Amino acid sequence: MELFILTIDYAGTFVFAISGALAGMKQKFDVFGVFILGLTTAIGGGTLRDLLIGSTPVGWMQNTIYVYIVLGAVVFTYLFRNHFRKLRRSMFLFDTIGIALYTILGLKKALSFGLSPEICVMLGVVSATFGGVIRDVLSGTAPLIFRKEIYASACLAGGVLFLLTDQWLGEVAGMTVAIIAVFLIRFFAVRNQWSLSFQQGD
Amino acid sequence: MELFILTIDYAGTFVFAISGALAGMKQKFDVFGVFILGLTTAIGGGTLRDLLIGSTPVGWMQNTIYVYIVLGAVVFTYLFRNHFRKLRRSMFLFDTIGIALYTILGLKKALSFGLSPEICVMLGVVSATFGGVIRDVLSGTAPLIFRKEIYASACLAGGVLFLLTDQWLGEVAGMTVAIIAVFLIRFFAVRNQWSLSFQQGD
Amino acid sequence: MELFILTIDYAGTFVFAISGALAGMKQKFDVFGVFILGLTTAIGGGTLRDLLIGSTPVGWMQNTIYVYIVLGAVVFTYLFRNHFRKLRRSMFLFDTIGIALYTILGLKKALSFGLSPEICVMLGVVSATFGGVIRDVLSGTAPLIFRKEIYASACLAGGVLFLLTDQWLGEVAGMTVAIIAVFLIRFFAVRNQWSLSFQQGD
């Protein structure tokens, strides 16, 4: 289980960093800017969660591997910058498993600080999604996830599901169920172009 | 007094959340985005203050009622989205009493951390106004309060007044005086279109 | 040495605040907005570093002189707003020595929290450069340092150099070498228009 979590965590960091690096290259940022955008996208959500609950120094600073994964992702993005259309499916896969996992890991960390379930679910969603918000603010665009097909909402559903099931099913099964749920919700949302818009018909 | 503070605090949260939700709807954000914008507007200022002084987990996480107030405000905003012109006066009232109160509560919290009066006044102003700054950054516009008629300046005046008077008048009277002062300054500023622009005549 | 550090620290704060105040005036912010932009530019980087490592209340709040330096810088900027072209050289000088010093001071503070060298160098760069990032986000433009000629990269080089040399040379000499290195890199980068763009030729 530990190994499974680590694998997803690292793969998720890599994919999130790629999405940040791509956004930075699109904005014609320089090497430093692209790296910072990759880094903030990858670790921004967890950083905000850690700041809000007061868990400092924030998580990624305690293990340099995250910085090296981001560095690797930036180099990878540069080398394969013309091939990302083909990689879209793999990226969608890791991104979706990544947000599912980050939701649950964030939620569990918040629970360990004695916060109420509602707040913990929110912190799970923050962990999974605010890296992307920071990426968009730093590249000067309104945050995509505030507009996009079901994304944060899938995390929310997964977080609630985990809270409801982990006491019956045990942690490992609860986590698996929640991750599969996030994946399925997001998969069908993207395929069927579901959205949660307030305005119908425009 | 406690009841009075709570009432204003909750009413202020509600009104701030409405202003965030309206901004989100204007940007055509989805349900999640509108909620996040309502939430950050309502609790962003106090959150930044708590982070800066190191009071974590930040305040609103310790009492779920704030999240439910924001949720209620988002639903309310959606239902009455075509009626806000009529509600403008009530909103102005609560918003202005809200920023006055948040200034004083923020200032008092900062004082309890042993910081100097100047810094505490600044933290009071941050508590009252930075929710709006975050709202504007997240919706992709330059912060309104950096341009607007007297707003933060009214908070600043109220905070200084509270510091100068609460030892003579007692806390309750000092607070009342400060809140009335913020209200009057802002009321006349809006009515007479006062501003603190550096550039005259453009 | 202490005196030297203090002088640079205060002069750097003054110059950073001027750059923020100028950005605010360009956006036609009001007095409050210009002050906040000056303040966040001057103290934003160190504030972010302190939040990330958990050193709260953040540094500038523990000594009101920073607020008064920023206030002075805003008044100075307003009075001499038409003369900044002539002051460009002095500003470049203090800005460059400032980022060099902030890199080293930030790095040393991070080291004292027991973080790994890579993370400490990053926190040094964050201390030196993120005030400018926050300035740009708050004035609604994509961060300049993500695009600009060698800037953060000079800080990075200086930070690494300091880590490599301070054990041989002693702290004072290591710091001097690092500051001179940042200065020279940035000086030649600006003169020769070096950049670290990913895209050649566009």
Side-chain angles (χ1 to χ4, degrees), chain A residues 45-46 49-50 53 99-128 154-166 171 174-175 178 182:
Chain A
R49 175 205 60 217
D50 286 351
I53 61 181
I99 56 168
L101 183 80
Y102 292 151
T103 304
I104 309 302
L105 293 181
L107 193 167
K108 284 176 59 183
K109 185 160 188 182
L111 282 174
S112 76
F113 276 72
L115 297 164
S116 67
E118 295 97 325
I119 300 294
C120 293
V121 169
M122 289 181 62
L123 285 167
V125 178
V126 162
S127 309
C155 297
L156 186 66
V160 171
L161 200 65
F162 174 75
L163 274 191
L164 294 177
T165 61
D166 78 318
E171 196 158 61
M175 227 159 136
V182 174

mmCIF file of all heavy atoms in Angstrom, chain A residues 45-46 49-50 53 99-128 154-166 171 174-175 178 182:
data_model
loop_
_atom_site.group_PDB
_atom_site.id
_atom_site.type_symbol
_atom_site.label_atom_id
_atom_site.label_comp_id
_atom_site.label_asym_id
_atom_site.label_seq_id
_atom_site.Cartn_x
_atom_site.Cartn_y
_atom_site.Cartn_z
ATOM 1 N N GLY A 45 -1.117 22.921 -4.010
ATOM 2 C CA GLY A 45 -2.305 22.523 -3.257
ATOM 3 C C GLY A 45 -1.946 22.011 -1.870
ATOM 4 O O GLY A 45 -2.519 22.435 -0.868
ATOM 5 N N GLY A 46 -0.961 21.126 -1.810
ATOM 6 C CA GLY A 46 -0.530 20.598 -0.521
ATOM 7 C C GLY A 46 0.091 21.669 0.353
ATOM 8 O O GLY A 46 -0.052 21.647 1.581
ATOM 9 N N ARG A 49 -2.728 23.692 1.875
ATOM 10 C CA ARG A 49 -3.318 22.885 2.965
ATOM 11 C C ARG A 49 -2.439 22.929 4.213
ATOM 12 O O ARG A 49 -2.919 23.200 5.318
ATOM 13 C CB ARG A 49 -3.479 21.429 2.499
ATOM 14 C CG ARG A 49 -3.967 20.490 3.605
ATOM 15 C CD ARG A 49 -3.542 19.062 3.317
ATOM 16 N NE ARG A 49 -2.076 18.971 3.235
ATOM 17 C CZ ARG A 49 -1.403 18.201 2.396
ATOM 18 N NH1 ARG A 49 -2.042 17.444 1.545
ATOM 19 N NH2 ARG A 49 -0.065 18.191 2.407
ATOM 20 N N ASP A 50 -1.122 22.707 4.031
ATOM 21 C CA ASP A 50 -0.222 22.698 5.188
ATOM 22 C C ASP A 50 -0.187 24.054 5.884
ATOM 23 O O ASP A 50 -0.145 24.125 7.120
ATOM 24 C CB ASP A 50 1.196 22.292 4.752
ATOM 25 C CG ASP A 50 1.289 20.797 4.457
ATOM 26 O OD1 ASP A 50 0.323 20.068 4.756
ATOM 27 O OD2 ASP A 50 2.320 20.360 3.928
ATOM 28 N N ILE A 53 -3.508 24.533 7.961
ATOM 29 C CA ILE A 53 -3.607 23.763 9.202
ATOM 30 C C ILE A 53 -2.402 24.001 10.115
ATOM 31 O O ILE A 53 -2.419 23.597 11.268
ATOM 32 C CB ILE A 53 -3.788 22.248 8.955
ATOM 33 C CG1 ILE A 53 -2.620 21.631 8.195
ATOM 34 C CG2 ILE A 53 -5.083 21.984 8.201
ATOM 35 C CD1 ILE A 53 -2.789 20.136 7.929
ATOM 36 N N ILE A 99 -5.272 13.427 -8.584
ATOM 37 C CA ILE A 99 -6.174 14.265 -7.776
ATOM 38 C C ILE A 99 -6.970 13.411 -6.797
ATOM 39 O O ILE A 99 -7.242 13.837 -5.679
ATOM 40 C CB ILE A 99 -7.140 15.135 -8.627
ATOM 41 C CG1 ILE A 99 -7.981 14.306 -9.580
ATOM 42 C CG2 ILE A 99 -6.381 16.231 -9.358
ATOM 43 C CD1 ILE A 99 -9.138 15.108 -10.204
ATOM 44 N N ALA A 100 -7.327 12.194 -7.219
ATOM 45 C CA ALA A 100 -8.053 11.312 -6.302
ATOM 46 C C ALA A 100 -7.195 11.028 -5.068
ATOM 47 O O ALA A 100 -7.634 11.176 -3.921
ATOM 48 C CB ALA A 100 -8.415 10.010 -7.013
ATOM 49 N N LEU A 101 -5.946 10.652 -5.321
ATOM 50 C CA LEU A 101 -5.063 10.321 -4.208
ATOM 51 C C LEU A 101 -4.793 11.532 -3.321
ATOM 52 O O LEU A 101 -4.827 11.449 -2.091
ATOM 53 C CB LEU A 101 -3.736 9.784 -4.734
ATOM 54 C CG LEU A 101 -2.792 9.352 -3.613
ATOM 55 C CD1 LEU A 101 -3.173 7.969 -3.110
ATOM 56 C CD2 LEU A 101 -1.353 9.376 -4.057
ATOM 57 N N TYR A 102 -4.519 12.684 -3.951
ATOM 58 C CA TYR A 102 -4.224 13.882 -3.161
ATOM 59 C C TYR A 102 -5.414 14.281 -2.302
ATOM 60 O O TYR A 102 -5.237 14.753 -1.174
ATOM 61 C CB TYR A 102 -3.818 15.039 -4.074
ATOM 62 C CG TYR A 102 -2.484 14.825 -4.747
ATOM 63 C CD1 TYR A 102 -2.197 15.381 -5.978
ATOM 64 C CD2 TYR A 102 -1.503 14.053 -4.134
ATOM 65 C CE1 TYR A 102 -0.978 15.185 -6.604
ATOM 66 C CE2 TYR A 102 -0.284 13.840 -4.754
ATOM 67 C CZ TYR A 102 -0.026 14.406 -5.979
ATOM 68 O OH TYR A 102 1.184 14.193 -6.580
ATOM 69 N N THR A 103 -6.615 14.087 -2.845
ATOM 70 C CA THR A 103 -7.800 14.386 -2.041
ATOM 71 C C THR A 103 -7.799 13.565 -0.757
ATOM 72 O O THR A 103 -7.974 14.104 0.343
ATOM 73 C CB THR A 103 -9.088 14.083 -2.837
ATOM 74 O OG1 THR A 103 -9.062 14.811 -4.056
ATOM 75 C CG2 THR A 103 -10.317 14.464 -2.039
ATOM 76 N N ILE A 104 -7.573 12.264 -0.915
ATOM 77 C CA ILE A 104 -7.643 11.378 0.259
ATOM 78 C C ILE A 104 -6.474 11.653 1.210
ATOM 79 O O ILE A 104 -6.661 11.755 2.427
ATOM 80 C CB ILE A 104 -7.626 9.890 -0.171
ATOM 81 C CG1 ILE A 104 -8.682 9.616 -1.247
ATOM 82 C CG2 ILE A 104 -7.822 8.985 1.033
ATOM 83 C CD1 ILE A 104 -10.082 9.959 -0.836
ATOM 84 N N LEU A 105 -5.258 11.806 0.656
ATOM 85 C CA LEU A 105 -4.104 12.068 1.530
ATOM 86 C C LEU A 105 -4.276 13.395 2.263
ATOM 87 O O LEU A 105 -3.974 13.505 3.454
ATOM 88 C CB LEU A 105 -2.803 12.091 0.721
ATOM 89 C CG LEU A 105 -2.360 10.757 0.100
ATOM 90 C CD1 LEU A 105 -1.034 10.940 -0.647
ATOM 91 C CD2 LEU A 105 -2.212 9.680 1.167
ATOM 92 N N GLY A 106 -4.780 14.408 1.563
ATOM 93 C CA GLY A 106 -4.999 15.716 2.186
ATOM 94 C C GLY A 106 -6.042 15.626 3.279
ATOM 95 O O GLY A 106 -5.873 16.162 4.379
ATOM 96 N N LEU A 107 -7.108 14.916 2.979
ATOM 97 C CA LEU A 107 -8.192 14.713 3.934
ATOM 98 C C LEU A 107 -7.663 14.030 5.199
ATOM 99 O O LEU A 107 -7.965 14.467 6.321
ATOM 100 C CB LEU A 107 -9.245 13.855 3.244
ATOM 101 C CG LEU A 107 -10.636 13.673 3.799
ATOM 102 C CD1 LEU A 107 -11.507 13.033 2.718
ATOM 103 C CD2 LEU A 107 -10.677 12.819 5.043
ATOM 104 N N LYS A 108 -6.867 12.964 5.001
ATOM 105 C CA LYS A 108 -6.348 12.234 6.159
ATOM 106 C C LYS A 108 -5.406 13.096 6.998
ATOM 107 O O LYS A 108 -5.440 13.056 8.229
ATOM 108 C CB LYS A 108 -5.626 10.965 5.693
ATOM 109 C CG LYS A 108 -6.596 9.859 5.276
ATOM 110 C CD LYS A 108 -5.865 8.645 4.711
ATOM 111 C CE LYS A 108 -4.897 8.068 5.745
ATOM 112 N NZ LYS A 108 -4.143 6.915 5.140
ATOM 113 N N LYS A 109 -4.576 13.890 6.325
ATOM 114 C CA LYS A 109 -3.673 14.768 7.079
ATOM 115 C C LYS A 109 -4.484 15.766 7.903
ATOM 116 O O LYS A 109 -4.183 16.026 9.060
ATOM 117 C CB LYS A 109 -2.737 15.505 6.122
ATOM 118 C CG LYS A 109 -1.693 16.342 6.848
ATOM 119 C CD LYS A 109 -0.506 16.665 5.969
ATOM 120 C CE LYS A 109 0.609 17.332 6.785
ATOM 121 N NZ LYS A 109 1.758 17.703 5.946
ATOM 122 N N ALA A 110 -5.549 16.315 7.305
ATOM 123 C CA ALA A 110 -6.380 17.285 8.027
ATOM 124 C C ALA A 110 -7.072 16.621 9.215
ATOM 125 O O ALA A 110 -7.155 17.203 10.306
ATOM 126 C CB ALA A 110 -7.398 17.910 7.083
ATOM 127 N N LEU A 111 -7.554 15.390 9.016
ATOM 128 C CA LEU A 111 -8.184 14.665 10.130
ATOM 129 C C LEU A 111 -7.218 14.523 11.305
ATOM 130 O O LEU A 111 -7.610 14.668 12.461
ATOM 131 C CB LEU A 111 -8.631 13.257 9.685
ATOM 132 C CG LEU A 111 -9.934 13.166 8.872
ATOM 133 C CD1 LEU A 111 -10.153 11.744 8.377
ATOM 134 C CD2 LEU A 111 -11.133 13.623 9.718
ATOM 135 N N SER A 112 -5.952 14.275 10.982
ATOM 136 C CA SER A 112 -4.965 14.078 12.048
ATOM 137 C C SER A 112 -4.704 15.359 12.834
ATOM 138 O O SER A 112 -4.066 15.346 13.881
ATOM 139 C CB SER A 112 -3.654 13.537 11.473
ATOM 140 O OG SER A 112 -2.942 14.579 10.836
ATOM 141 N N PHE A 113 -5.200 16.503 12.329
ATOM 142 C CA PHE A 113 -5.102 17.759 13.082
ATOM 143 C C PHE A 113 -6.389 18.051 13.858
ATOM 144 O O PHE A 113 -6.567 19.146 14.394
ATOM 145 C CB PHE A 113 -4.782 18.932 12.145
ATOM 146 C CG PHE A 113 -3.317 19.071 11.872
ATOM 147 C CD1 PHE A 113 -2.647 18.168 11.058
ATOM 148 C CD2 PHE A 113 -2.578 20.105 12.459
ATOM 149 C CE1 PHE A 113 -1.281 18.286 10.822
ATOM 150 C CE2 PHE A 113 -1.216 20.223 12.226
ATOM 151 C CZ PHE A 113 -0.566 19.318 11.409
ATOM 152 N N GLY A 114 -7.298 17.055 13.900
ATOM 153 C CA GLY A 114 -8.489 17.190 14.720
ATOM 154 C C GLY A 114 -9.541 18.143 14.182
ATOM 155 O O GLY A 114 -10.342 18.681 14.953
ATOM 156 N N LEU A 115 -9.558 18.358 12.876
ATOM 157 C CA LEU A 115 -10.564 19.261 12.305
ATOM 158 C C LEU A 115 -11.836 18.486 11.956
ATOM 159 O O LEU A 115 -11.809 17.264 11.829
ATOM 160 C CB LEU A 115 -9.987 19.946 11.068
ATOM 161 C CG LEU A 115 -8.772 20.834 11.366
ATOM 162 C CD1 LEU A 115 -8.008 21.157 10.100
ATOM 163 C CD2 LEU A 115 -9.211 22.122 12.069
ATOM 164 N N SER A 116 -12.936 19.204 11.796
ATOM 165 C CA SER A 116 -14.212 18.541 11.531
ATOM 166 C C SER A 116 -14.238 17.956 10.117
ATOM 167 O O SER A 116 -13.518 18.423 9.234
ATOM 168 C CB SER A 116 -15.354 19.533 11.706
ATOM 169 O OG SER A 116 -15.259 20.510 10.699
ATOM 170 N N PRO A 117 -15.068 16.913 9.897
ATOM 171 C CA PRO A 117 -15.095 16.225 8.602
ATOM 172 C C PRO A 117 -15.322 17.160 7.413
ATOM 173 O O PRO A 117 -14.646 17.014 6.389
ATOM 174 C CB PRO A 117 -16.282 15.253 8.746
ATOM 175 C CG PRO A 117 -16.453 15.061 10.204
ATOM 176 C CD PRO A 117 -15.989 16.313 10.864
ATOM 177 N N GLU A 118 -16.250 18.111 7.545
ATOM 178 C CA GLU A 118 -16.520 19.014 6.419
ATOM 179 C C GLU A 118 -15.245 19.753 6.021
ATOM 180 O O GLU A 118 -14.917 19.885 4.840
ATOM 181 C CB GLU A 118 -17.567 20.082 6.782
ATOM 182 C CG GLU A 118 -18.952 19.567 7.074
ATOM 183 C CD GLU A 118 -19.178 19.412 8.569
ATOM 184 O OE1 GLU A 118 -18.208 19.049 9.281
ATOM 185 O OE2 GLU A 118 -20.300 19.661 9.020
ATOM 186 N N ILE A 119 -14.548 20.278 7.025
ATOM 187 C CA ILE A 119 -13.327 21.034 6.761
ATOM 188 C C ILE A 119 -12.264 20.121 6.151
ATOM 189 O O ILE A 119 -11.538 20.514 5.229
ATOM 190 C CB ILE A 119 -12.803 21.664 8.079
ATOM 191 C CG1 ILE A 119 -13.849 22.605 8.688
ATOM 192 C CG2 ILE A 119 -11.484 22.382 7.855
ATOM 193 C CD1 ILE A 119 -14.157 23.836 7.893
ATOM 194 N N CYS A 120 -12.193 18.884 6.648
ATOM 195 C CA CYS A 120 -11.175 17.956 6.133
ATOM 196 C C CYS A 120 -11.426 17.616 4.669
ATOM 197 O O CYS A 120 -10.481 17.535 3.875
ATOM 198 C CB CYS A 120 -11.149 16.685 6.983
ATOM 199 S SG CYS A 120 -10.567 17.006 8.665
ATOM 200 N N VAL A 121 -12.700 17.422 4.317
ATOM 201 C CA VAL A 121 -13.008 17.172 2.910
ATOM 202 C C VAL A 121 -12.576 18.374 2.074
ATOM 203 O O VAL A 121 -11.945 18.227 1.014
ATOM 204 C CB VAL A 121 -14.509 16.878 2.713
ATOM 205 C CG1 VAL A 121 -14.859 16.877 1.223
ATOM 206 C CG2 VAL A 121 -14.880 15.545 3.337
ATOM 207 N N MET A 122 -12.888 19.579 2.562
ATOM 208 C CA MET A 122 -12.489 20.774 1.822
ATOM 209 C C MET A 122 -10.978 20.842 1.660
ATOM 210 O O MET A 122 -10.460 21.205 0.598
ATOM 211 C CB MET A 122 -12.977 22.032 2.539
ATOM 212 C CG MET A 122 -14.483 22.210 2.455
ATOM 213 S SD MET A 122 -14.989 23.725 3.298
ATOM 214 C CE MET A 122 -14.126 24.934 2.305
ATOM 215 N N LEU A 123 -10.245 20.512 2.708
ATOM 216 C CA LEU A 123 -8.789 20.555 2.627
ATOM 217 C C LEU A 123 -8.257 19.491 1.678
ATOM 218 O O LEU A 123 -7.232 19.688 1.015
ATOM 219 C CB LEU A 123 -8.174 20.409 4.015
ATOM 220 C CG LEU A 123 -8.302 21.676 4.871
ATOM 221 C CD1 LEU A 123 -7.964 21.385 6.334
ATOM 222 C CD2 LEU A 123 -7.399 22.778 4.339
ATOM 223 N N GLY A 124 -8.959 18.358 1.601
ATOM 224 C CA GLY A 124 -8.605 17.350 0.603
ATOM 225 C C GLY A 124 -8.737 17.918 -0.807
ATOM 226 O O GLY A 124 -7.830 17.781 -1.638
ATOM 227 N N VAL A 125 -9.867 18.572 -1.050
ATOM 228 C CA VAL A 125 -10.090 19.157 -2.380
ATOM 229 C C VAL A 125 -9.057 20.250 -2.666
ATOM 230 O O VAL A 125 -8.518 20.346 -3.781
ATOM 231 C CB VAL A 125 -11.531 19.703 -2.496
ATOM 232 C CG1 VAL A 125 -11.752 20.355 -3.854
ATOM 233 C CG2 VAL A 125 -12.545 18.590 -2.270
ATOM 234 N N VAL A 126 -8.763 21.059 -1.657
ATOM 235 C CA VAL A 126 -7.744 22.105 -1.805
ATOM 236 C C VAL A 126 -6.395 21.486 -2.191
ATOM 237 O O VAL A 126 -5.725 21.949 -3.112
ATOM 238 C CB VAL A 126 -7.599 22.930 -0.500
ATOM 239 C CG1 VAL A 126 -6.290 23.706 -0.484
ATOM 240 C CG2 VAL A 126 -8.784 23.879 -0.347
ATOM 241 N N SER A 127 -6.009 20.413 -1.496
ATOM 242 C CA SER A 127 -4.744 19.734 -1.798
ATOM 243 C C SER A 127 -4.683 19.310 -3.258
ATOM 244 O O SER A 127 -3.644 19.422 -3.914
ATOM 245 C CB SER A 127 -4.587 18.455 -0.960
ATOM 246 O OG SER A 127 -4.804 18.710 0.394
ATOM 247 N N ALA A 128 -5.808 18.803 -3.755
ATOM 248 C CA ALA A 128 -5.815 18.236 -5.098
ATOM 249 C C ALA A 128 -5.893 19.300 -6.180
ATOM 250 O O ALA A 128 -5.343 19.126 -7.266
ATOM 251 C CB ALA A 128 -6.987 17.266 -5.242
ATOM 252 N N ALA A 154 -15.489 16.139 -8.514
ATOM 253 C CA ALA A 154 -15.155 14.717 -8.436
ATOM 254 C C ALA A 154 -14.343 14.447 -7.167
ATOM 255 O O ALA A 154 -14.576 13.460 -6.463
ATOM 256 C CB ALA A 154 -14.372 14.289 -9.674
ATOM 257 N N CYS A 155 -13.413 15.357 -6.858
ATOM 258 C CA CYS A 155 -12.617 15.214 -5.632
ATOM 259 C C CYS A 155 -13.514 15.272 -4.401
ATOM 260 O O CYS A 155 -13.360 14.493 -3.458
ATOM 261 C CB CYS A 155 -11.577 16.339 -5.528
ATOM 262 S SG CYS A 155 -10.378 16.320 -6.863
ATOM 263 N N LEU A 156 -14.446 16.206 -4.434
ATOM 264 C CA LEU A 156 -15.369 16.369 -3.315
ATOM 265 C C LEU A 156 -16.145 15.085 -3.080
ATOM 266 O O LEU A 156 -16.217 14.575 -1.953
ATOM 267 C CB LEU A 156 -16.322 17.520 -3.643
ATOM 268 C CG LEU A 156 -17.293 17.968 -2.564
ATOM 269 C CD1 LEU A 156 -16.552 18.567 -1.391
ATOM 270 C CD2 LEU A 156 -18.278 19.006 -3.137
ATOM 271 N N ALA A 157 -16.682 14.528 -4.173
ATOM 272 C CA ALA A 157 -17.445 13.286 -4.060
ATOM 273 C C ALA A 157 -16.565 12.165 -3.501
ATOM 274 O O ALA A 157 -16.979 11.408 -2.620
ATOM 275 C CB ALA A 157 -18.003 12.894 -5.427
ATOM 276 N N GLY A 158 -15.324 12.074 -4.015
ATOM 277 C CA GLY A 158 -14.412 11.039 -3.536
ATOM 278 C C GLY A 158 -14.097 11.197 -2.059
ATOM 279 O O GLY A 158 -14.045 10.225 -1.305
ATOM 280 N N GLY A 159 -13.891 12.439 -1.629
ATOM 281 C CA GLY A 159 -13.588 12.702 -0.216
ATOM 282 C C GLY A 159 -14.736 12.298 0.684
ATOM 283 O O GLY A 159 -14.541 11.633 1.712
ATOM 284 N N VAL A 160 -15.957 12.673 0.298
ATOM 285 C CA VAL A 160 -17.131 12.322 1.098
ATOM 286 C C VAL A 160 -17.280 10.806 1.155
ATOM 287 O O VAL A 160 -17.504 10.220 2.225
ATOM 288 C CB VAL A 160 -18.402 12.981 0.511
ATOM 289 C CG1 VAL A 160 -19.655 12.451 1.188
ATOM 290 C CG2 VAL A 160 -18.306 14.496 0.655
ATOM 291 N N LEU A 161 -17.123 10.167 0.006
ATOM 292 C CA LEU A 161 -17.236 8.705 -0.062
ATOM 293 C C LEU A 161 -16.228 8.027 0.870
ATOM 294 O O LEU A 161 -16.567 7.079 1.589
ATOM 295 C CB LEU A 161 -16.985 8.256 -1.506
ATOM 296 C CG LEU A 161 -17.511 6.878 -1.874
ATOM 297 C CD1 LEU A 161 -19.024 6.850 -1.789
ATOM 298 C CD2 LEU A 161 -17.079 6.518 -3.299
ATOM 299 N N PHE A 162 -15.006 8.536 0.870
ATOM 300 C CA PHE A 162 -13.985 7.957 1.747
ATOM 301 C C PHE A 162 -14.393 8.082 3.212
ATOM 302 O O PHE A 162 -14.313 7.127 3.987
ATOM 303 C CB PHE A 162 -12.639 8.649 1.511
ATOM 304 C CG PHE A 162 -11.567 8.200 2.471
ATOM 305 C CD1 PHE A 162 -10.970 6.960 2.333
ATOM 306 C CD2 PHE A 162 -11.154 9.021 3.519
ATOM 307 C CE1 PHE A 162 -9.983 6.535 3.223
ATOM 308 C CE2 PHE A 162 -10.172 8.602 4.413
ATOM 309 C CZ PHE A 162 -9.594 7.360 4.262
ATOM 310 N N LEU A 163 -14.859 9.276 3.586
ATOM 311 C CA LEU A 163 -15.288 9.488 4.974
ATOM 312 C C LEU A 163 -16.413 8.545 5.354
ATOM 313 O O LEU A 163 -16.472 8.036 6.485
ATOM 314 C CB LEU A 163 -15.764 10.927 5.166
ATOM 315 C CG LEU A 163 -14.727 11.982 5.497
ATOM 316 C CD1 LEU A 163 -15.420 13.265 5.908
ATOM 317 C CD2 LEU A 163 -13.798 11.522 6.621
ATOM 318 N N LEU A 164 -17.344 8.304 4.415
ATOM 319 C CA LEU A 164 -18.505 7.461 4.704
ATOM 320 C C LEU A 164 -18.150 5.987 4.765
ATOM 321 O O LEU A 164 -18.817 5.212 5.447
ATOM 322 C CB LEU A 164 -19.598 7.674 3.642
ATOM 323 C CG LEU A 164 -20.240 9.063 3.608
ATOM 324 C CD1 LEU A 164 -21.255 9.156 2.475
ATOM 325 C CD2 LEU A 164 -20.917 9.397 4.936
ATOM 326 N N THR A 165 -17.107 5.582 4.014
ATOM 327 C CA THR A 165 -16.855 4.142 3.904
ATOM 328 C C THR A 165 -15.650 3.619 4.670
ATOM 329 O O THR A 165 -15.594 2.430 4.969
ATOM 330 C CB THR A 165 -16.646 3.732 2.427
ATOM 331 O OG1 THR A 165 -15.509 4.431 1.920
ATOM 332 C CG2 THR A 165 -17.873 4.058 1.576
ATOM 333 N N ASP A 166 -14.689 4.475 5.027
ATOM 334 C CA ASP A 166 -13.433 3.894 5.526
ATOM 335 C C ASP A 166 -13.592 3.179 6.866
ATOM 336 O O ASP A 166 -12.797 2.308 7.195
ATOM 337 C CB ASP A 166 -12.298 4.931 5.563
ATOM 338 C CG ASP A 166 -12.399 5.851 6.752
ATOM 339 O OD1 ASP A 166 -13.527 6.273 7.060
ATOM 340 O OD2 ASP A 166 -11.372 6.163 7.369
ATOM 341 N N GLU A 171 -9.262 1.210 5.827
ATOM 342 C CA GLU A 171 -8.680 2.350 5.134
ATOM 343 C C GLU A 171 -8.298 2.038 3.679
ATOM 344 O O GLU A 171 -8.573 2.817 2.772
ATOM 345 C CB GLU A 171 -7.433 2.801 5.897
ATOM 346 C CG GLU A 171 -6.995 4.170 5.487
ATOM 347 C CD GLU A 171 -6.146 4.798 6.576
ATOM 348 O OE1 GLU A 171 -5.098 4.211 6.878
ATOM 349 O OE2 GLU A 171 -6.530 5.842 7.115
ATOM 350 N N GLY A 174 -11.405 1.623 1.553
ATOM 351 C CA GLY A 174 -12.078 2.920 1.450
ATOM 352 C C GLY A 174 -11.354 3.828 0.471
ATOM 353 O O GLY A 174 -11.977 4.532 -0.334
ATOM 354 N N MET A 175 -10.048 3.801 0.558
ATOM 355 C CA MET A 175 -9.240 4.622 -0.333
ATOM 356 C C MET A 175 -9.389 4.188 -1.782
ATOM 357 O O MET A 175 -9.526 5.014 -2.678
ATOM 358 C CB MET A 175 -7.771 4.472 0.065
ATOM 359 C CG MET A 175 -7.063 5.770 0.152
ATOM 360 S SD MET A 175 -5.603 5.557 1.177
ATOM 361 C CE MET A 175 -4.461 6.477 0.154
ATOM 362 N N ALA A 178 -12.723 5.225 -3.101
ATOM 363 C CA ALA A 178 -12.793 6.666 -3.344
ATOM 364 C C ALA A 178 -12.018 7.044 -4.610
ATOM 365 O O ALA A 178 -12.484 7.852 -5.420
ATOM 366 C CB ALA A 178 -12.242 7.431 -2.134
ATOM 367 N N VAL A 182 -13.600 8.827 -7.938
ATOM 368 C CA VAL A 182 -13.131 10.078 -8.548
ATOM 369 C C VAL A 182 -12.815 9.844 -10.020
ATOM 370 O O VAL A 182 -13.205 10.619 -10.897
ATOM 371 C CB VAL A 182 -11.869 10.610 -7.831
ATOM 372 C CG1 VAL A 182 -11.318 11.828 -8.565
ATOM 373 C CG2 VAL A 182 -12.169 10.962 -6.380
#
